[in-house]
């Protein structure tokens, strides 16, 4: 009897813990949505609790203050970014291609995952207000510079250009993606602009001719640069890539 009672209590404890984790995830998601939509100062805990479909008491059980909830939102954004970089790197891509694809990941998730734009917005609104909190701008910049450094170590970058110049240019371009998204342009337009950005940067970053080894567009698109085997008059798709023989219409 005692063993049966202990098993029942164990199962009940697991159910309670799972329910608590679900509630916490809902609150972080709701917080991300409202911080992104309304800003940190204007989003209230009452509104966030209502949006998550829970009581304010349940919110305070998990987060003692709006600052704590905002930090949880920022940490979720960081976790998503690091997970994306790990998955892209594990797929066998070159570090520079991983960087290109990570910027496309950012462009997409600035639209699809509210923790990402919320992380940027909270960092801007709360800059200098409190020490020891996560600054998503710094985390994003660190991820970009880390991948660029790996590309340098792998010999992917031009050696005749000063490293400081390369790092500054790429860092400024990568951080500008969030600013472009903040204008409210449609995702398709943002995607085209990120592709256009890399179509200009790649030939400047890698040794002459090596740009053909990279894809400036999103995963699944063709390289943006013609190879020696492509006919000079080959039609180009929406990303500026040669359309394979037998394919008609836009592939963008």
């Amino acid at each position: 009897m005692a063993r049966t009672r202990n098993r029942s209590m164990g199962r009940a404890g697991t159910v309670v813990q799972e329910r608590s984790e679900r509630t916490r995830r809902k609150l972080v998601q709701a917080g991300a949505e409202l911080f992104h939509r309304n800003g940190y100062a204007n989003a209230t805990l009452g509104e966030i609790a209502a949006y998550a479909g829970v009581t304010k008491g349940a919110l305070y059980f998990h987060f003692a203050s709006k600052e704590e909830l905002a930090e949880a939102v920022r940490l979720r954004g960081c976790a998503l970014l690091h997970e994306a970089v790990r998955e892209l790197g594990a797929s066998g891509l070159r570090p520079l291609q991983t960087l290109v694809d990570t910027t496309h990941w950012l462009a997409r998730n600035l639209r699809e995952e509210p923790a990402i734009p919320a992380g940027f917005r909270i960092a801007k609104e709360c800059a200098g207000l409190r020490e020891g909190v996560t600054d998503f701008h710094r985390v994003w910049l660190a991820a970009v510079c880390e991948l660029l450094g790996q590309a340098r170590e792998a010999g992917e970058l031009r050696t005749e250009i000063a490293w400081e110049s390369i790092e500054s240019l790429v860092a400024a371009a990568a951080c500008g993606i969030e600013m472009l998204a903040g204008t409210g342009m449609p995702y398709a337009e943002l995607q085209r602009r990120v592709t256009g950005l890399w179509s200009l940067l790649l030939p400047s970053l890698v040794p002459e001719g090596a740009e053909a080894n990279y894809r400036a567009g999103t995963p699944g698109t063709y390289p943006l640069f013609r190879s020696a085997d492509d006919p000079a008059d080959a039609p180009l798709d929406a990303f500026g890539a040669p359309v394979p023989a037998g394919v008609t219409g836009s592939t963008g």
Side-chain angles (χ1 to χ4, degrees), residues 128-146:
L129 296 182
R130 180 185 168 197
E131 294 294 329
V133 298
T134 303
D135 185 334
F136 195 75
H137 283 104
R138 292 180 181 272
V139 173
W140 169 242
L141 185 59
V144 168
C145 291
E146 173 66 20

Side-chain angles (χ1 to χ4, degrees), residues 23-241:
T23 299
R24 189 181 192 280
R25 287 194 297 269
K26 284 165 56 176
L27 285 166
V28 172
Q29 187 71 10
E33 184 66 47
L34 293 185
F35 289 144
H36 165 46
R37 184 188 306 171
N38 301 332
Y40 177 80
N42 293 326
T44 69
L45 292 179
E47 290 172 338
I48 293 170
Y51 193 86
V54 303
T55 65
K56 284 189 70 174
L59 185 151
Y60 281 115
F61 176 80
H62 291 280
F63 302 104
S65 65
K66 187 161 69 169
E67 284 185 348
E68 281 193 13
L69 178 56
E71 180 66 0
V73 170
R74 286 181 291 225
L75 290 175
R76 170 166 170 75
C78 293
L80 290 169
L81 170 61
H82 294 319
E83 180 183 357
V85 172
R86 281 195 302 270
E87 289 181 354
L88 288 168
S91 67
L93 297 173
R94 294 181 176 92
L96 187 55
Q97 186 65 67
T98 298
L99 174 55
V100 172
D101 287 359
T102 300
T103 61
H104 280 290
W105 174 91
L106 179 73
R108 185 178 72 253
N109 283 280
L110 282 165
R111 292 284 182 266
E112 295 182 358
E113 173 49 64
I116 303 301
F120 281 117
R121 183 162 186 176
I122 293 168
K124 283 185 284 190
E125 291 190 13
C126 301
L129 296 182
R130 180 185 168 197
E131 294 294 329
V133 298
T134 303
D135 185 334
F136 195 75
H137 283 104
R138 292 180 181 272
V139 173
W140 169 242
L141 185 59
V144 168
C145 291
E146 173 66 20
L147 288 170
L148 191 64
Q150 291 176 16
R152 180 193 188 191
E153 293 174 3
E156 293 184 85
L157 306 180
R158 289 178 181 264
T159 57
E160 69 271 22
I161 302 177
W163 165 247
E164 292 77 11
S165 299
I166 291 177
E167 186 179 41
S168 297
L169 176 62
V170 173
C175 288
I177 295 170
E178 186 265 334
M179 298 297 292
L180 286 173
T183 66
M185 68 175 59
Y187 168 63
E189 175 65 17
L190 181 60
Q191 181 188 54
R192 284 193 295 270
R193 288 178 181 262
V194 175
T195 298
L197 171 72
W198 284 112
S199 73
L200 184 65
L201 284 179
L202 284 171
S204 302
L205 296 175
V206 302
E208 186 175 357
E211 64 270 17
N213 298 321
Y214 298 91
R215 170 182 34 73
T218 55
T221 59
Y222 291 99
L224 194 67
F225 310 97
R226 293 183 188 275
S227 71
D229 298 327
D230 292 323
D233 60 349
L236 302 180
D237 66 14
F239 295 97

